[in-house]
Amino acid sequence: MSPTPNQVLSVAFVVATVFVVQFTPAGAAPASVQLTVDPAQFAGISAPVTAGASSPIDSCRTIAEEGRYHLVADLVSHTYTCLDVEADSVVLDGRGHALTVAESTRAYGAALGMPTPDQFGEAVVVTGGRSNVTIANLSFEGFDSGIRATGGADLSVVNVTGTNAVTGVVIDGVSRVRVMSTTILDSAGDGLVVQNATDVTIDAVTVDASWMAGIVVNGSDRVSIQATTVSRNHGDGLFVTDSTDVVTVGLVASDNAVGILVIAADGTTVTASTLDRNSIAGIAVLRADGVIVADSTISNTVGDPGAVGVERTAGLLTVDARNTTLRDVRVFGNHDWTIVGLDSASIVVERVIAGSTVVSFTATGVSIELHFLVDRPCSASTVASVSTEIERQATAGDGVAPEVTVTCVR
């Protein structure tokens, strides 16, 4: 079955409306985090970051002076913020301890209308544009935000586990950020939010079962996401919007609404990634220029119209996109369409293996280089049928025949 423009627009509409709301996490406006750290220091949950003298912390408090600090016990917060970092050059080593919210505080949060009774306050905040802050080797449960930082530079979040916060980690307006070896579970909003930030590395992070998006990158530049897993999020796994030079390597996005959603984020690159069992699309690109998907697999898009309110779903969906490139990509097992391009220009598909579904475009300047299509060896007749189908759909949509080049690679 070939998609009609109305059908594809219905997919795009749901993608946009379901996921644009993720720009603003639940609760107060996000803040940012700053950390600087050598990853070799963090080999495990008890990895020390206290090469020099370290001050013990045994209760929630403000850290007002630079230096090294370590937790000596689990902390229970009776106030809005448990640990407030108000100094530069701070290393906070949790040494495997946990931060939680007191029952009385949870009841207060519930009275104020927090999403669930155990989500109130913040576990760790970094305020006032601080620089050179490291938060490592701790866990948090509950809270409005697990870790929240605003402004400043050189922030590291390493070996942190967060559960059941509204937003797990929020980084806002920070430059030179590293979030590494961190797990965020069961957030009531988004798992990890990076906004208005520059030079960010997200490495070996797992975000699972957020009610909204797993990871949000909004208004940020030069963001690297590597060896990271986003799964079972009710929104998209990775949501990139209004950002530039976002590079993803080795991302696994499974069982989300959309595996990767890119809106107005030019130059986004996805390589060596796996997008599997997502509901609406493996990858959706809206109003973006120069998006590249390479050496990746897009498979088994579930296609559950009853759940997501759309008529058809796709492995790859582009809407009003320019210069989209798929190179060395395997697209298979998707419930409805394999690749859909609507009102998009210069879509290049090189060395793509597509099987079991329909390749569809409404676009100009389409170049396709095929190995196999619909589980058949690439042949002259396959090339002819693909060219005819693309031309027919494009002409039916806007009356303009596209420039189509289809090449068979043996």
Side-chain angles (χ1 to χ4, degrees), residues 265-287:
D266 297 345
T268 299
T269 301
V270 178
T271 59
S273 295
T274 301
L275 302 310
D276 187 50
R277 299 190 311 276
N278 298 290
S279 296
I280 298 175
I283 300 177
V285 180
L286 284 70
R287 304 190 309 278

Side-chain angles (χ1 to χ4, degrees), residues 10-193:
S10 69
V11 177
F13 175 78
V14 171
V15 169
T17 55
V18 169
F19 305 111
V20 166
V21 296
Q22 298 166 2
F23 284 12
T24 304
S32 59
V33 179
Q34 315 111 336
L35 303 166
T36 298
V37 68
D38 178 359
Q41 291 179 299
F42 304 100
I45 191 65
S46 61
V49 291
T50 53
S54 178
S55 301
I57 294 178
D58 60 4
S59 63
C60 294
R61 53 166 287 188
T62 295
I63 299 174
E65 296 181 357
E66 69 176 58
R68 298 175 180 271
Y69 299 83
H70 64 276
L71 302 186
V72 295
D74 296 343
L75 305 185
V76 179
S77 178
H78 297 270
T79 60
Y80 190 82
T81 297
C82 182
L83 296 173
D84 187 355
V85 179
E86 297 184 358
D88 297 336
S89 301
V90 169
V91 173
L92 173 61
D93 182 2
R95 295 192 177 179
H97 291 294
L99 309 180
T100 56
V101 182
E103 291 296 333
S104 58
T105 305
R106 295 180 182 186
Y108 180 50
L112 293 181
M114 299 302 293
T116 68
D118 57 353
Q119 291 165 335
F120 182 76
E122 297 173 314
V124 182
V125 295
V126 184
T127 61
R130 300 301 172 184
S131 63
N132 194 25
V133 175
T134 296
I135 302 169
N137 302 326
L138 58 80
S139 64
F140 60 81
E141 181 176 0
F143 295 99
D144 182 9
S145 299
I147 297 174
R148 182 184 294 273
T150 304
D154 298 314
L155 167 70
S156 298
V157 176
V158 182
N159 204 24
V160 168
T161 298
T163 306
N164 196 33
V166 177
T167 306
V169 175
V170 180
I171 297 170
D172 186 2
V174 184
S175 60
R176 298 187 300 277
V177 177
R178 281 182 273 186
V179 182
M180 299 178 290
S181 303
T182 288
T183 299
I184 303 170
L185 307 172
D186 299 313
S187 299
D190 301 312
L192 168 62
V193 175

Side-chain angles (χ1 to χ4, degrees), residues 356-395:
S356 304
T357 50
V358 179
V359 179
S360 305
F361 292 92
T362 303
T364 60
V366 177
S367 174
I368 300 179
E369 189 172 297
L370 293 172
H371 283 214
F372 294 89
L373 182 69
V374 291
D375 300 325
R376 289 178 294 157
C378 188
S379 64
S381 60
T382 300
V383 169
S385 65
V386 171
S387 300
T388 300
E389 179 65 10
I390 293 174
E391 181 175 351
R392 185 191 66 77
Q393 293 176 40
T395 302

Side-chain angles (χ1 to χ4, degrees), residues 102-341:
E103 291 296 333
S104 58
T105 305
R106 295 180 182 186
Y108 180 50
L112 293 181
M114 299 302 293
T116 68
D118 57 353
Q119 291 165 335
F120 182 76
E122 297 173 314
V124 182
V125 295
V126 184
T127 61
R130 300 301 172 184
S131 63
N132 194 25
V133 175
T134 296
I135 302 169
N137 302 326
L138 58 80
S139 64
F140 60 81
E141 181 176 0
F143 295 99
D144 182 9
S145 299
I147 297 174
R148 182 184 294 273
T150 304
D154 298 314
L155 167 70
S156 298
V157 176
V158 182
N159 204 24
V160 168
T161 298
T163 306
N164 196 33
V166 177
T167 306
V169 175
V170 180
I171 297 170
D172 186 2
V174 184
S175 60
R176 298 187 300 277
V177 177
R178 281 182 273 186
V179 182
M180 299 178 290
S181 303
T182 288
T183 299
I184 303 170
L185 307 172
D186 299 313
S187 299
D190 301 312
L192 168 62
V193 175
V194 176
Q195 59 185 32
N196 307 316
T198 57
D199 297 313
V200 178
T201 297
I202 298 170
D203 188 4
V205 169
T206 297
V207 185
D208 185 82
S210 298
W211 186 253
M212 294 176 68
I215 298 174
V216 175
V217 178
N218 179 23
S220 298
D221 299 321
R222 298 187 299 279
V223 178
S224 173
I225 303 171
Q226 53 200 34
T228 287
T229 298
V230 286
S231 61
R232 300 193 305 153
N233 300 289
H234 289 265
D236 40 295
L238 170 63
F239 179 29
V240 182
T241 181
D242 292 321
S243 300
T244 57
D245 296 327
V246 177
V247 177
T248 295
V249 181
L251 179 77
V252 175
S254 62
D255 300 289
N256 308 287
V258 173
I260 301 174
L261 173 61
V262 179
I263 299 180
D266 297 345
T268 299
T269 301
V270 178
T271 59
S273 295
T274 301
L275 302 310
D276 187 50
R277 299 190 311 276
N278 298 290
S279 296
I280 298 175
I283 300 177
V285 180
L286 284 70
R287 304 190 309 278
D289 191 348
V291 173
I292 298 173
V293 182
D295 301 305
S296 297
T297 298
I298 305 172
S299 59
N300 303 314
T301 301
V302 176
D304 186 354
V308 300
V310 297
E311 296 181 35
R312 294 288 187 273
T313 56
L316 171 74
L317 166 68
T318 69
V319 179
D320 193 19
R322 300 293 180 269
N323 303 310
T324 305
T325 300
L326 274 73
R327 182 180 299 116
D328 296 305
V329 175
R330 180 173 174 80
V331 188
F332 67 91
N334 299 288
H335 185 270
D336 295 312
W337 304 319
T338 298
I339 303 169
V340 177

